[in-house]
Amino acid sequence: IIMEQYVIVIERGESNYSAYSPDVLGCAATGATVEETLQQMKMALVMHLEGMAEDGEELPQPKGLAYYVSQDEPVAEPGDLITHVEISLPAVA
């Protein structure tokens, strides 16, 4: 089993939070609290990556927070929370 850390951006909405990973395009989650949103995002990432592996797609490699901080284009807006989650990557045969 390979463990990887994916950067997660959590944004506050009017009545909830939403999250995405700049490393895994098309994968997002929402929740009522930051904690719930982070947990939902972790589950969404696992399902998304497992689906990619089942379809024979190459899994995206996490770039890490330092990569996104050093870019000219910001990955998050002021006020957003940036963190990471550790994911067990599915074995790819």
Side-chain angles (χ1 to χ4, degrees):
I1 295 177
I2 300 171
M3 300 293 285
E4 293 286 3
Q5 291 188 349
Y6 285 90
V7 170
I8 303 296
V9 177
I10 299 177
E11 303 171 324
R12 184 179 186 122
E14 288 185 29
S15 60
N16 69 344
Y17 294 87
S18 62
Y20 65 92
S21 174
D23 292 320
V24 186
L25 300 179
C27 184
T30 62
T33 64
V34 169
E35 294 80 10
E36 179 185 345
T37 305
L38 191 56
Q39 185 62 31
Q40 292 294 326
M41 186 62 196
K42 186 172 183 175
M43 290 189 309
L45 274 172
V46 168
M47 289 176 44
H48 191 93
L49 295 171
E50 285 176 350
M52 290 180 72
E54 288 172 6
D55 292 344
E57 296 179 43
E58 185 175 338
L59 298 180
Q61 294 301 306
K63 295 181 178 87
L65 185 56
Y67 170 83
Y68 291 108
V69 170
S70 69
Q71 297 303 298
D72 290 335
E73 292 286 325
V75 69
E77 297 295 321
D80 291 349
L81 172 66
I82 302 174
T83 187
H84 68 271
V85 293
E86 192 167 72
I87 302 291
S88 298
L89 292 181
V92 179

